[in-house]
């Protein structure tokens, strides 16, 4: 049995599953298998501590158990993963009913210490013998369905279907290729100019990651960053990006004398990694870049988990002189109060507002309001996604400090970006 929750452990669960399958075969009934994974356990465990994490797991185990009837088994597989076995079913419908009951029990907040937190779970379902007639594959299929439920936005359940096998196979393949990509030197940084809106001069660049894989071709970040986040690979990859980006800025200065800024994207997992601040400082030290020329872009969503750690990390970076910007500003449906308490230097207006600034009155008003608000708080503003000349006039007229977008240049490999240095 599992020490923390008192539930059957993985081994016992597999034994019970095998028994259930044998019985179902004799009786000609079905067995439902549900794979559950808590959606935000890791975050709570990291930010509120292990005791909080343990309490959360115990309470989750209690809620799952309370949703089941007599003959079912719920087991803890490890971490925040649970398995439910529903033996002797007559139809597949009863598994979805159980899944709905479980989601329902997660709808009320968990009381952890003196805080209330909402915890959700994603559930994958596979049914014997329809989805597989052996226990190992049945579990894999329930796992694949769980991933599907998670990627559909969490707090949901999904029944296995054969296409999911391909999806989970692709995921595994992507993951194993990504694990090797660093040593095989398949990553490359592209650079996109950041322009001073008033004068049209180059002031810096944003580093954007590309992955050149021999069998997949050029892979864009939206395709692999989420998986890199999930698997933790973003940490070594992010360190590589920091080091390469700082080194590039130093090279440009040596070649031309221009002290350009370099902006680097930081993802949530990377930001919360205990080694993050050290990794930033190491990259600066190894390359000799002045910290004031490095700007870390942090998404508004990340900042919204307003925890002590977040503010601690931001202040440490600020004290070192590193610049901080809020990326995708305006998409985090946030209270704006964080802007006055955190040491940000820059807001990057999300491209979804900039796109229609010449066509939609609301977007124009929003962009103007963001610029004014930022300036009154002493922050600089970058407009991203500038594609048309008209937009540059609008931004100039309303005092937007910097602009970035296809109108000036697409992100380009370093050799191409270097052309900008000569102008
Ligand atoms: P982001 O930080 O919002 O980066 C801007 C994205 O907008 C880039 O997409 C860029 O190519 C694109 N873009 C630039 N100008 C325009 C324009 O005028 N119009 C339009 N429609 N798009 C424009 P990209 O390079 O595909 O990157 C996507 C996202 O991936 C980035 O969004 C960022 O969140 C993430 N990312 C990229 N590189 C890294 C990295 O090194 N580390 C991490 N953690 N995330 C990264
Ligand atoms: Ca989880
Ligand atoms: Ca960015
Ligand atoms: Ca952005």
């Amino acid at each position: 049995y599992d020490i923390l929750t008192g539930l059957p452990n993985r081994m016992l669960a597999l034994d019970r599953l095998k028994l259930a399958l044998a019985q179902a075969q004799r009786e000609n009934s079905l067995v439902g298998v549900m794979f559950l994974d808590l959606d935000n356990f890791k975050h709570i465990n990291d930010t509120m501590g292990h005791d909080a994490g343990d309490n959360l797991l115990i309470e989750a185990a209690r809620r799952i158990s309370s949703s089941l009837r007599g003959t079912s088994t719920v087991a803890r597989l490890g971490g925040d993963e649970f398995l439910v076995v529903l033996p002797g079913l007559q139809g597949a419908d009863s598994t979805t009913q159980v899944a709905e009951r479980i989601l329902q029990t997660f709808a009320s907040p968990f009381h952890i210490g003196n805080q209330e937190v909402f915890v959700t779970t994603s559930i994958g379902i596979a049914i014997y013998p329809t989805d597989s007639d052996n226990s190992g594959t049945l579990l894999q299929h329930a796992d694949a369905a769980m991933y599907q439920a998670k990627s559909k936005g969490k707090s949901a359940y999904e029944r296995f279907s054969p296409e999911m096998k391909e999806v989970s196979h692709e995921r595994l393949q992507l993951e194993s290729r990504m694990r090797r990509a660093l040593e095989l030197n398949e990553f490359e940084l592209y650079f996109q100019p950041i322009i001073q809106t008033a004068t049209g001069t180059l002031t810096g660049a944003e580093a954007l990651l590309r992955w050149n894989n021999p069998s997949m071709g050029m892979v864009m970040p939206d395709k692999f960053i989420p998986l890199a986040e999930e698997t933790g690979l973003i940490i070594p990859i992010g360190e590589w990006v920091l080091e390469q980006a700082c080194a590039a800025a130093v090279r440009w200065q040596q070649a031309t004398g221009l002290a350009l800024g370099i902006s680097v994207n930081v993802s949530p997992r990377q930001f919360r990694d205990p080694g993050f601040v050290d990794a930033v400082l190491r990259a600066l030290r190894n390359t000799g870049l002045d910290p004031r020329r490095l700007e870390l872009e942090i998404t508004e969503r990340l900042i919204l988990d307003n925890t002590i750690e977040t503010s601690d990390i931001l202040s440490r970076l600020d004290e070192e002189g590193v610049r901080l910007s809020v990326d995708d500003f305006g998409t985090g449906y946030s209270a704006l109060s964080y802007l006055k308490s955190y040491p940000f230097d820059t807001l990057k207006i999300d491209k979804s507002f900039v796109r229609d600034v010449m066509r939609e009155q609301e977007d124009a008003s929003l962009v103007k309001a963001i610029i004014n608000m930022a300036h009154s708080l002493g922050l600089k503003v970058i407009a991203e996604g500038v594609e048309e000349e008209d937009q540059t006039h609008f931004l100039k007229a309303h005092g937007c400090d910097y602009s970035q977008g296809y109108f000036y240049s697409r992100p380009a490999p370093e050799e191409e970006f270097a052309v900008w240095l000569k102008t």
Side-chain angles (χ1 to χ4, degrees):
Y1 285 87
D2 172 52
I3 300 168
L4 182 66
T5 59
L7 295 178
N9 62 12
R10 177 184 285 268
M11 251 164 62
L12 189 54
L14 290 179
D15 285 346
R16 298 225 181 137
L17 176 61
K18 282 179 192 150
L19 279 176
L21 297 191
Q23 183 199 9
Q25 198 171 21
R26 287 194 305 274
E27 294 173 353
N28 231 341
S29 60
L30 308 175
V31 178
V33 167
M34 298 204 287
F35 209 106
L36 287 86
D37 184 288
L38 305 184
D39 297 319
N40 44 358
F41 170 74
K42 175 144 195 335
H43 178 55
I44 293 170
N45 197 54
D46 288 353
T47 55
M48 297 177 64
H50 293 302
D51 285 345
D54 284 353
N55 286 332
L56 189 160
L57 290 171
I58 293 167
E59 174 63 12
R62 199 193 58 74
R63 292 189 186 195
I64 298 165
S65 307
S66 76
S67 321
L68 305 176
R69 309 234 154 85
T71 55
S72 325
T73 296
V74 51
R76 177 166 174 231
L77 296 179
D80 60 346
E81 291 182 345
F82 297 88
L83 181 75
V84 171
V85 180
L86 306 163
L89 305 179
Q90 294 313 313
D93 286 356
S94 40
T95 51
T96 55
Q97 284 160 16
V98 174
E100 269 161 23
R101 279 209 302 276
I102 295 176
L103 293 182
Q104 198 64 54
T105 65
F106 277 77
S108 58
F110 283 51
H111 296 271
I112 306 234
N114 49 10
Q115 290 201 53
E116 279 196 348
V117 287
F118 283 91
V119 179
T120 60
T121 177
S122 299
I123 306 175
I125 301 172
I127 291 171
Y128 169 90
T130 335
D131 298 333
S132 165
D133 62 0
N134 96 32
S135 58
T137 349
L138 200 60
L139 286 180
Q140 279 171 24
H141 289 179
D143 188 34
M146 188 278 290
Y147 269 107
Q148 188 74 16
K150 235 188 227 307
S151 65
K152 281 209 174 148
K154 310 188 163 80
S155 191
Y157 64 87
E158 222 26 75
R159 161 96 185 265
F160 173 77
S161 72
E163 306 85 72
M164 289 177 189
K165 230 164 59 188
E166 280 158 44
V167 173
S168 69
H169 176 73
E170 268 172 34
R171 265 181 62 93
L172 280 175
Q173 199 172 42
L174 196 65
E175 182 180 337
S176 74
R177 284 174 175 160
M178 196 162 38
R179 282 189 189 283
R180 303 177 55 222
L182 268 180
E183 36 177 312
L184 295 176
N185 216 358
E186 293 176 355
F187 289 115
E188 181 181 3
L189 286 185
Y190 273 35
F191 297 95
Q192 186 176 37
I194 297 175
I195 304 295
Q196 186 161 37
T197 315
T199 58
T201 53
L202 179 72
T203 65
E206 178 174 1
L208 293 157
L209 187 58
R210 300 291 181 263
W211 176 14
N212 298 302
N213 178 272
S215 48
M216 295 184 292
M218 165 86 82
V219 192
M220 298 300 279
D222 291 334
K223 239 191 119 191
F224 66 90
I225 300 261
L227 188 60
E229 270 268 299
E230 237 175 80
T231 54
L233 282 169
I234 193 66
I235 290 160
I237 296 173
E239 286 180 16
W240 182 89
V241 171
L242 275 166
E243 186 100 25
Q244 296 299 314
C246 294
V250 170
R251 269 197 298 280
W252 300 334
Q253 178 159 28
Q254 283 163 352
T256 64
L258 290 174
L260 300 178
I262 183 77
S263 301
V264 173
N265 292 285
V266 176
S267 73
R269 177 88 180 254
Q270 207 185 340
F271 184 82
R272 295 207 186 86
D273 183 69
F276 176 62
V277 176
D278 287 337
V280 173
L281 300 181
R282 209 176 318 120
L284 290 167
R285 204 170 346 103
N286 290 347
T287 58
L289 184 72
D290 177 353
R292 286 166 303 182
R293 286 173 51 205
L294 173 64
E295 181 147 294
L296 299 177
E297 300 194 354
I298 294 154
T299 60
E300 194 173 29
R301 271 166 232 278
L302 189 154
I303 302 152
L304 294 184
D305 314 308
N306 188 345
T307 59
I308 306 203
E309 267 101 310
T310 306
S311 98
D312 186 47
I313 298 167
L314 292 173
S315 330
R316 281 168 65 202
L317 291 165
D318 180 55
E319 280 158 21
E320 296 290 342
V322 174
R323 308 282 179 200
L324 300 165
S325 68
V326 183
D327 206 351
D328 303 339
F329 184 77
T331 60
Y333 45 88
S334 64
L336 295 168
S337 51
Y338 73 87
L339 286 178
K340 67 169 205 254
S341 45
Y342 289 161
F344 283 105
D345 301 282
T346 314
L347 294 190
K348 295 193 81 169
I349 308 179
D350 191 65
K351 49 180 176 292
S352 59
F353 302 112
V354 176
R355 188 181 51 218
D356 296 323
V357 86
M358 304 311 291
R359 286 174 289 274
E360 301 285 345
Q361 191 51 53
E362 291 84 355
D363 288 319
S365 307
L366 269 170
V367 169
K368 281 189 265 181
I370 295 174
I371 296 170
N372 290 332
M373 178 199 61
H375 285 167
S376 69
L377 291 168
L379 301 166
K380 301 280 188 202
V381 186
I382 304 182
E384 42 172 43
V386 177
E387 297 186 358
E388 303 150 21
E389 186 160 19
D390 285 358
Q391 293 167 323
T392 68
H393 300 316
F394 176 93
L395 293 166
K396 202 193 278 189
H398 294 96
C400 180
D401 306 276
Y402 306 105
S403 302
Q404 186 185 347
Y406 297 166
F407 173 72
Y408 298 100
S409 165
R410 293 198 169 242
E414 192 172 351
E415 317 82 79
E416 258 174 69
F417 176 78
V419 175
W420 275 85
L421 300 174
K422 303 200 183 88
T423 58

